[in-house]
Amino acid sequence: MPKAPKTPSLPLNGLFPIAKPSGPSSMRVIDRITPLLLDSKLFDDPVKRSMADTKFKRKKNLTHMGLKIGQGGTLDPLADGVLVLGVNRGTKHLNQFLECSKEYESIGLIGCMTTSMDSDDPVLATAAWEHITREDVEKVLDRFRGEIYQVPPIFSALKMDGKPLYEYARESKPLPRPIPTRKCTVSIELVDFTPASVTPGDGGHEYRWPEKRLTAEEKVVFRKLTEIVNQAGTDHASSSSSKPATTTTPASGDQASDAVKTAEETITGAPTSESLVPDLEKPEYPEVSPKTGLRPPTFTVRMTVSSGTYVRSIVHDIGVALGCGAHVVKLTRTRQGEFSLYGDEAALASPSTETASASAVDGAPAAETAVGSAPPATDETPAGPSGGSIPWSVWERALAEREARIEREKAEREEAITSGVSAEEIHTNYSQEALKKKRFEGELAEWENEVLRRFKPVPIPINGTRDFRY
């Protein structure tokens, strides 16, 4: 009979997923939760902390504090969803999440193109949208299935000469050379087509076009940037004997349909034998239709994409193919490799899970299916992570509780000082080490249990042997 699953040994070395919220950057999210990890017995490494004051300390990052942390694929500030974190030796296994397939759900608002292809930046061009139906969106999706060539957007973290492309764009600086195209594999389906709300609670969406517009100088700069971006598509088209790219073209090199050509001309005001550069001098089409008095609808697509695919570009190009433009108003990563945003929440409360979490308090040794080059599974190998990603609300509660605890400890120390307690006793009871020891003797917090329920340890080789520990 298989033995009961064991929990990882402490400090933890491995991977776990969190649900990043929309708004902050991925690094900001990591910075926010790092104080919790540093305060936790799950990640505390007294050996590394003891080396912090030695002459051998060479790094001034979190490593010398007993914690190493990284993420396996950033998300834009606008985006939310799965963000895989690696701690300690788990950081060595994060590269696999840069190369794996990912799943997304994205909402596009039609009628409006923006400079960054999402709702965070100024309007680039608008066009009539009233004629667009769900069936129209369904028809153009075939153009984005299978293998496609894609030019990364200028507002991306892709680096050129060591500098992210978005920095060139935000500083209004020209690129040193065209952005190279890349081949991507995409599976995409239409999930929903939603009209704008007319009255509160009628089931319609509440998204709106951005209010900001480009200045005359910004239009000149952006036109140059766009020409450079599209030159990459033209270069690819010449080498593969296909039509010039907008930002996405079929990998087979098939000609776009006449309907798509007409759609592109509607936005650009130019024939499609030229690169797609929006006509920034065209009069804007209003967000509220002069024909119907309604605002434009949204479409929701679900897609599985290969590494390096830009979902914003696909939504943007769907809008181009529709002839009215579109931009991303919501983007959610629902899966990254083996980690999912959603899970079986009922499984999290199972007795075996509770037992595993409790045993980790005592620092029980661990075993876990390895990530990457793992040793074979055994009867002592515990089940993998479950329950999807840790909701951001869990971290918010933990951060609020930590702040309240710090204030409480500070007040207790000040009260002890004013009551005449000796300095030695105050140090014994209220030094950082004393407070940390007291916390470590208590029960695990909610967020710590949530980490354990989803944690995937990585194998650590035992010196001089072919065995692993976790």
Side-chain angles (χ1 to χ4, degrees), residues 355-420:
T355 302
S357 299
S359 61
V361 176
D362 302 322
E368 168 68 329
T369 303
V371 178
S373 56
T378 68
D379 288 344
E380 297 186 5
T381 301
S386 63
S389 301
I390 303 174
W392 186 247
S393 58
V394 171
W395 299 104
E396 287 182 325
R397 286 194 295 271
L399 289 167
E401 290 168 2
R402 179 179 183 272
E403 185 176 346
R405 189 202 73 229
I406 291 174
E407 289 298 319
R408 184 170 61 252
E409 292 171 347
K410 181 180 178 181
E412 291 174 356
R413 184 176 185 276
E414 291 176 351
E415 183 180 351
I417 293 174
T418 56
S419 63

Side-chain angles (χ1 to χ4, degrees), residues 448-461:
E448 292 172 310
N449 278 305
E450 294 301 317
V451 167
L452 285 175
R453 289 164 178 166
R454 296 158 169 86
F455 196 74
K456 187 172 185 64
V458 297
I460 303 173

Side-chain angles (χ1 to χ4, degrees), residues 165-178:
L165 295 182
Y166 66 79
E167 288 190 12
Y168 286 99
R170 297 197 187 283
E171 295 172 7
S172 299
K173 292 183 178 180
L175 300 179
R177 58 187 173 278

Side-chain angles (χ1 to χ4, degrees), residues 247-258:
T247 53
T248 300
T249 60
S252 63
D254 292 340
Q255 295 290 328
S257 67
D258 291 340

